[in-house]
Amino acid sequence: MRYSDELLDEIRSRNDIIDVISQYVTLKRSGRNYFGLCPFHNEKSPSFSVSPDKQIFHCFGCGVGGNVFHFIQKIENVSFVESVQMLADRAGIKLPTLTNYEDEKVAKLKAKVYDVNKFTAEFYHKNLYRPESKQGQEYIKKRKLDNNTLKSFMIGYSGQFDELYRALRKEGFEDEEILASGLVNKSEKGMYIDRYRNRIMFPIQDVRNRVIAFGGRVLDDSKPKYINSPENIVYSKGRNLFGLNVAKKFNPRSHEKVTYC
Ligand SMILES: [Zn+2]
């Protein structure tokens, strides 16, 4: 759990360090700074200084120092998070609840999954043009899909074993984000394997043109003929069916023509 920098700044600015430390230490002004007897070591003459300008404290005797959060942590013997909560409370600032942090975490993961999906759509699309994707190209040819169609629907071809996984890792995505997309599965032995291999790929987009899932079609008569993404953090079945409907039109048994949108 982590508080935002903006929130920490607000809490700090509303807890003047002189006011806070004065509750524990008798401070006397001398020039720009305040001095007092250090509460963290035994001393007879004050070497503990507090700067109102910099909003920090420093002891010339024992070397401790820091901002108002550090002071509370040390004097109250509490964690950083507890010091934030105490000072927020002191300033009458309401902290977001833990649930909000969970929401924030989920929102961050969702944003990453959209990025994973976008990268993957481009990866599959580029992959279609590689010499290794001959099978996919032949299928495309047979289906008489022209280049405009391929491009406008970002139709692609999934590769071998863990090609996508390795490309995503190379791009800087974390395992958690990759697995959350449902595009890669982790085996019991801990191996990462692409969900879609050797399939014609159709990205499925939502109304905001974000790629939320994929449909993957086999090239031969093996089953299942068509698989789509499992429900995931950005995709629930029964919604966002635009791309899926488009993809279904590529079924070779139905001789429908591809509709352009
Ligand atoms: Zn000291």
Side-chain angles (χ1 to χ4, degrees):
M1 136 169 161
R2 179 158 158 46
Y3 295 111
S4 73
D5 291 342
E6 292 75 22
L7 184 59
L8 294 179
D9 284 346
E10 194 197 346
I11 294 167
R12 190 164 41 209
S13 72
R14 285 175 51 186
N15 283 284
D16 183 79
I17 199 163
I18 304 294
D19 292 347
V20 171
I21 293 182
S22 294
Q23 292 180 304
Y24 301 88
V25 180
T26 307
L27 293 174
K28 279 205 183 95
R29 183 163 193 151
S30 169
R32 295 173 73 87
N33 295 333
Y34 288 75
F35 286 87
L37 292 174
C38 179
F40 305 117
H41 85 278
N42 244 324
E43 63 176 5
K44 293 218 165 66
S45 60
S47 50
F48 181 82
S49 75
V50 188
S51 161
D53 302 333
K54 294 181 190 152
Q55 289 287 305
I56 55 169
F57 70 95
H58 177 73
C59 175
F60 294 97
C62 67
V64 295
N67 62 26
V68 71
F69 296 121
H70 299 129
F71 181 82
I72 290 296
Q73 266 177 273
K74 229 172 148 35
I75 198 124
E76 295 286 354
N77 194 26
V78 293
S79 69
F80 174 71
V81 168
E82 286 168 310
S83 77
V84 172
Q85 288 164 344
M86 287 173 77
L87 288 171
D89 200 42
R90 183 179 179 274
I93 295 169
K94 208 171 171 305
L95 288 173
T97 61
L98 264 177
T99 327
N100 288 344
Y101 283 102
E102 280 308 304
D103 289 350
E104 204 179 294
K105 233 178 102 184
V106 170
K108 271 187 190 153
L109 185 58
K110 271 189 181 175
K112 281 289 181 184
V113 169
Y114 284 122
D115 290 345
V116 166
N117 287 347
K118 184 167 181 275
F119 176 86
T120 300
E122 284 159 9
F123 176 83
Y124 285 153
H125 185 60
K126 272 186 226 150
N127 200 34
L128 180 63
Y129 297 93
R130 291 195 315 170
E132 293 91 323
S133 308
K134 202 158 183 287
Q135 254 192 311
Q137 291 156 6
E138 274 163 11
Y139 175 83
I140 295 287
K141 228 183 270 169
K142 219 164 55 190
R143 300 286 308 133
K144 296 189 169 57
L145 303 175
D146 64 29
N147 220 19
N148 282 339
T149 311
L150 299 179
K151 288 225 178 318
S152 55
F153 293 113
M154 284 287 279
I155 291 166
Y157 190 65
S158 51
Q160 310 290 334
F161 198 66
D162 65 346
E163 279 180 359
L164 173 67
Y165 173 70
R166 282 184 284 120
L168 286 166
R169 285 301 312 220
K170 205 173 153 205
E171 187 67 13
F173 291 108
E174 306 284 340
D175 284 341
E176 187 198 10
E177 298 154 5
I178 296 169
L179 291 175
S181 74
L183 289 164
V184 172
N185 295 320
K186 191 178 178 183
S187 75
E188 275 171 23
K189 286 181 183 161
M191 303 231 291
Y192 293 87
I193 304 159
D194 296 356
R195 176 180 174 81
Y196 299 100
R197 299 177 306 276
N198 300 316
R199 282 170 182 265
I200 294 287
M201 300 303 300
F202 308 91
I204 299 164
Q205 295 181 341
D206 65 8
V207 287
R208 291 163 66 185
N209 285 331
R210 295 178 300 195
V211 177
I212 52 166
F214 289 85
R217 201 199 178 288
V218 284
L219 303 173
D220 52 20
D221 282 332
S222 62
K223 307 263 174 181
K225 193 160 287 303
Y226 191 87
I227 51 173
N228 43 303
S229 299
E231 299 227 339
N232 63 41
I233 194 166
V234 298
Y235 170 60
S236 60
K237 286 177 184 155
R239 283 176 47 219
N240 308 110
L241 291 178
F242 166 71
L244 210 54
N245 290 336
V246 171
K248 277 181 179 156
K249 296 202 166 145
F250 288 96
N251 186 330
R253 282 208 196 125
S254 78
H255 291 283
E256 288 176 67
K257 278 192 90 176
V258 173
T259 41
Y260 291 81
C261 300

